[in-house]
């Protein structure tokens, strides 16, 4: 089994482009002649750490092209007028990329990875995950991110081809995609530490730098040295605690469900021809449902989505406090004045009898009809699973070169426990209902 490579040639090079730029030229060992290299392509052995200035190859690294998945599609990194490799040459390049000479990252690969990391969540709308399906239903933010990146790629003359390949997990060096999306990706390492700082929840503080320093590559998979096991344990424990104390906190869930109910009511009014104040971009999405093909066919649709932010939502909600629609006005008034809903959590699903009981209370308390009452009630389930081996695994590499799952490397029951999902079912409703008795 191939021994893992030290992270010195991987992640630090991803985050140190300036040093890459200063390296000057790519080191070429002669296996590919300069006549067979294509500018901006996605695959190459990489940049030599020590010999970058002595090869004579121009500093803007030339690389070998590789086709996308799917016949007839454009080649990643191909530019007009550039030579194309024959099939046997592409195969030979692919074989070499599995060898030691391809393990280091070229400047373009580092730049592509950074762009994919920074842009992978660009498809999030206002209030991020809270309104994931309230503004554009049926389209996850990852799909919108893909459309954004594709549009940017066109605008910047295909300079995001490599970033798109990494983002879509089409790039031969698969470990680069793991930096973008995995259970130990850069995003998770970033938001845990950042959110811990800004919320004051110290349990989210993790040794990000140490984990990154311990990264290696084994068999084209991102792994960590065995001595990073305890740092990874701390990361997983911190992730679990942050979800209970911050992301899935009762107050957060209550506020998010109120926000979702408000948008649902606003959409209900707008789709029935009601006159409702909104910002232009928000109004467009409240009145219509859009799918992926519509986003691809109408460039103005993506521009409207890009112009949306939290202010569009909160400005509209402030105005809706005085709406003629009684339900919308009450919901918005409660949120703006921080009369947050009560939330009850339990280990079993909320039964229909309980739901109907609270719907009856809403009808009596706010004098609304049964079609309006559901906007005041929310129920659902939340799950906290710090480590999901079914999604992807976090592997550590032992001294003998064997790559094993972190739960096996640790040998501690605590990590195995973190892989088990914890589900809580919740019921959300206005606190005023606690003191309300249904009229006979």
């Amino acid at each position: 089994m191939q021994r893992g490579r030290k992270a010195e040639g991987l992640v630090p090079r991803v985050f140190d482009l300036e040093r890459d730029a200063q390296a000057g030229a790519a080191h070429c060992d002669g296996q590919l002649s300069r006549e067979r290299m294509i500018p901006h392509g996605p695959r190459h052995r990489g940049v030599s750490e020590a010999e970058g200035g002595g090869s004579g190859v121009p500093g803007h690294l030339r690389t070998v092209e590789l086709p996308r998945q799917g016949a007839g599609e454009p080649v990643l990194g191909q530019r007009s007028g550039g030579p194309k490799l024959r099939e046997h040459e592409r195969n030979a390049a692919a074989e070499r990329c599995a060898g030691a000479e391809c393990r280091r990252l070229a400047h373009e690969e580092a730049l592509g990875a950074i762009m994919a990391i920074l842009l992978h969540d660009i498809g999030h709308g206002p209030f991020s995950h809270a309104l994931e399906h309230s503004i554009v239903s049926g389209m996850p933010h990852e799909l919108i991110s893909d459309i954004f990146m594709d549009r940017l790629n066109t605008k910047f003359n295909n300079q995001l081809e490599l970033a798109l390949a990494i983002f879509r997990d089409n790039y031969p060096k698969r470990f680069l995609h793991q930096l973008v999306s995995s259970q130990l990706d850069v995003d998770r390492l970033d938001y845990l530490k950042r959110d811990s700082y800004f919320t004051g929840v110290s349990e989210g503080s993790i040794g990000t730098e140490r984990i990154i320093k311990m990264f290696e590559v084994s068999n084209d998979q991102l792994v960590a040295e065995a001595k990073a096991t305890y740092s990874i344990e701390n990361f997983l424990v911190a992730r679990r605690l942050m979800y209970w104390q911050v992301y899935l906190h009762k107050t957060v869930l209550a506020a998010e469900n109120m926000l979702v109910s408000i948008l649902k009511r606003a959409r209900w009014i707008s789709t029935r021809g009601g006159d409702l104040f909104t910002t232009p971009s928000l109004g467009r999405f409240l009145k219509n449902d859009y799918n992926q093909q519509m986003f691809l066919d109408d460039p103005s649709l993506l521009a409207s989505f890009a112009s949306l932010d939290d202010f569009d939502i909160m400005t509209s909600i402030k105005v809706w406090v005085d709406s003629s629609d009684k339900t919308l006005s009450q919901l918005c008034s409660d949120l703006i004045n921080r009369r947050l809903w009560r939330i009850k959590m339990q280990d079993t699903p909320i039964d229909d009898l309980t739901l109907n009981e609270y719907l009856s209370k809403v009808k009596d308390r706010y004098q609304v009809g049964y079609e309006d009452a559901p906007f005041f009630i929310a129920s659902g389930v939340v799950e906290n699973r710090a480590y999901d081996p079914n999604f992807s695994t976090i592997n550590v590499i032992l001294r003998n070169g064997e790559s094993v799952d972190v739960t096996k490397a640790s040998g501690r029951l605590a990590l195995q426990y973190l892989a088990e999902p914890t589900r809580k079912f919740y019921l959300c409703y206005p606190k005023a209902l606690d003191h309300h008795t249904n009229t006979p």
Side-chain angles (χ1 to χ4, degrees), residues 17 23 131 136 205 324 329 384 402 422 430:
L17 288 178
L131 299 181
V136 182
S205 180
S324 58
S329 175
N384 189 353
E402 182 183 4
T422 301

Side-chain angles (χ1 to χ4, degrees), residues 4 11 26 29 38 41 68 76 109 117 132 138 152 155 158 254 407 411:
V11 179
D29 63 1
I38 297 174
R68 283 183 193 264
L76 288 178
E109 290 175 318
I117 289 167
E132 176 97 8
L152 288 170
K155 181 175 182 179
N158 298 323
T407 57

Side-chain angles (χ1 to χ4, degrees), residues 206-232:
I206 58 176
T208 303
E209 293 79 8
R210 175 169 175 78
I211 293 176
I212 291 176
K213 186 178 180 181
M214 295 295 105
F215 275 157
E216 298 187 6
V217 174
S218 177
N219 296 323
D220 201 27
Q221 295 294 310
L222 192 66
V223 298
E225 291 186 68
K227 60 185 177 182
T229 300
Y230 293 120
S231 297
I232 295 173

Side-chain angles (χ1 to χ4, degrees), residues 146-317:
D146 189 280
I147 298 173
F148 263 120
M149 292 176 67
D150 204 52
R151 195 70 53 81
L152 288 170
N153 186 45
T154 301
K155 181 175 182 179
F156 290 99
N157 300 317
N158 298 323
Q159 293 186 58
L160 276 74
E161 286 285 345
L162 201 150
L164 274 165
I166 293 172
F167 174 75
R168 293 167 176 166
D169 199 14
N170 291 337
Y171 191 61
K173 294 183 179 179
R174 305 292 295 276
F175 63 86
L176 290 178
H177 177 75
Q178 291 178 300
L179 291 173
V180 179
S181 179
S182 70
Q183 295 207 77
L184 198 60
D185 59 40
V186 176
D187 185 33
R188 297 188 184 196
L189 292 174
D190 167 63
Y191 74 66
L192 281 180
K193 197 164 188 175
R194 171 167 39 83
D195 293 343
S196 171
Y197 175 80
F198 283 106
T199 60
V201 179
S202 59
E203 287 83 357
S205 180
I206 58 176
T208 303
E209 293 79 8
R210 175 169 175 78
I211 293 176
I212 291 176
K213 186 178 180 181
M214 295 295 105
F215 275 157
E216 298 187 6
V217 174
S218 177
N219 296 323
D220 201 27
Q221 295 294 310
L222 192 66
V223 298
E225 291 186 68
K227 60 185 177 182
T229 300
Y230 293 120
S231 297
I232 295 173
E233 282 186 16
N234 181 52
F235 160 77
L236 293 175
V237 172
R239 178 174 163 80
R240 182 179 180 84
L241 292 175
M242 284 292 287
Y243 266 83
W244 283 136
Q245 296 188 44
V246 179
Y247 310 123
L248 300 179
H249 189 278
K250 288 185 176 182
T251 304
V252 174
L253 287 176
E256 287 183 351
N257 276 283
M258 292 178 72
L259 200 56
V260 170
S261 287
I262 289 172
L263 266 293
K264 282 182 179 179
R265 185 64 180 185
R267 179 184 290 275
W268 186 89
I269 295 171
S270 297
T271 54
R272 285 162 176 75
D275 185 18
L276 194 65
F277 167 85
T278 64
T279 61
S281 294
L282 179 58
R284 184 175 187 181
F285 288 99
L286 290 180
K287 293 175 182 177
N288 304 282
D289 286 320
Y290 297 105
N291 57 35
Q292 179 184 4
Q293 193 59 48
M294 294 175 179
F295 269 85
L296 295 174
D297 293 340
D298 185 359
S300 70
L301 195 56
L302 190 65
S304 294
F305 184 82
S307 70
L308 286 172
D309 58 27
D310 296 1
F311 294 106
D312 290 79
I313 306 298
M314 293 309 299
T315 298
S316 298
I317 289 176

Side-chain angles (χ1 to χ4, degrees), residues 290-348:
Y290 297 105
N291 57 35
Q292 179 184 4
Q293 193 59 48
M294 294 175 179
F295 269 85
L296 295 174
D297 293 340
D298 185 359
S300 70
L301 195 56
L302 190 65
S304 294
F305 184 82
S307 70
L308 286 172
D309 58 27
D310 296 1
F311 294 106
D312 290 79
I313 306 298
M314 293 309 299
T315 298
S316 298
I317 289 176
K318 286 184 176 180
V319 176
W320 295 341
V321 169
D322 299 317
S323 171
S324 58
D325 182 85
K326 185 177 181 179
T327 299
L328 182 63
S329 175
Q330 183 66 53
L331 291 171
C332 293
S333 176
D334 286 349
L335 182 64
I336 292 297
N337 292 290
R338 200 173 168 77
R339 293 190 293 267
L340 300 182
W341 287 353
R342 179 85 67 201
I343 184 167
K344 290 183 177 180
M345 306 188 80
Q346 59 188 51
D347 297 327
T348 56

Side-chain angles (χ1 to χ4, degrees), residues 20-200:
D20 254 351
Q22 293 173 349
H27 175 66
C28 179
D29 63 1
Q31 295 192 46
L32 289 176
S33 68
R34 294 177 66 179
E35 290 74 23
R36 295 179 181 178
M37 294 182 182
I38 297 174
H40 302 286
R43 178 174 279 183
H44 189 264
R45 299 177 298 92
V47 178
S48 169
E49 293 278 359
E51 303 176 80
S55 68
V57 180
H60 195 67
L61 183 65
R62 299 174 180 268
T63 54
V64 178
E65 68 176 357
L66 187 81
R68 283 183 193 264
Q69 292 182 342
E73 293 186 2
V75 174
L76 288 178
Q78 182 178 334
R79 297 293 178 270
S80 58
K84 296 183 178 179
L85 291 182
R86 291 182 291 275
E87 184 66 26
H88 74 277
E89 293 174 321
R90 283 199 294 268
N91 292 339
E95 291 178 4
R96 279 192 296 274
C97 202
E101 72 268 22
C102 271
R103 292 182 191 167
R104 294 188 179 182
L105 293 182
H107 174 80
E108 281 76 8
E109 290 175 318
L111 183 60
I114 287 178
M115 286 192 288
I117 289 167
L118 292 176
L119 294 174
H120 82 284
D121 268 346
I122 195 174
H124 269 308
F127 290 98
S128 192
H129 290 281
L131 299 181
E132 176 97 8
H133 301 293
S134 296
I135 297 176
V136 182
S137 60
M139 284 186 66
H141 73 274
E142 293 89 352
L143 187 55
I144 299 177
S145 293
D146 189 280
I147 298 173
F148 263 120
M149 292 176 67
D150 204 52
R151 195 70 53 81
L152 288 170
N153 186 45
T154 301
K155 181 175 182 179
F156 290 99
N157 300 317
N158 298 323
Q159 293 186 58
L160 276 74
E161 286 285 345
L162 201 150
L164 274 165
I166 293 172
F167 174 75
R168 293 167 176 166
D169 199 14
N170 291 337
Y171 191 61
K173 294 183 179 179
R174 305 292 295 276
F175 63 86
L176 290 178
H177 177 75
Q178 291 178 300
L179 291 173
V180 179
S181 179
S182 70
Q183 295 207 77
L184 198 60
D185 59 40
V186 176
D187 185 33
R188 297 188 184 196
L189 292 174
D190 167 63
Y191 74 66
L192 281 180
K193 197 164 188 175
R194 171 167 39 83
D195 293 343
S196 171
Y197 175 80
F198 283 106
T199 60

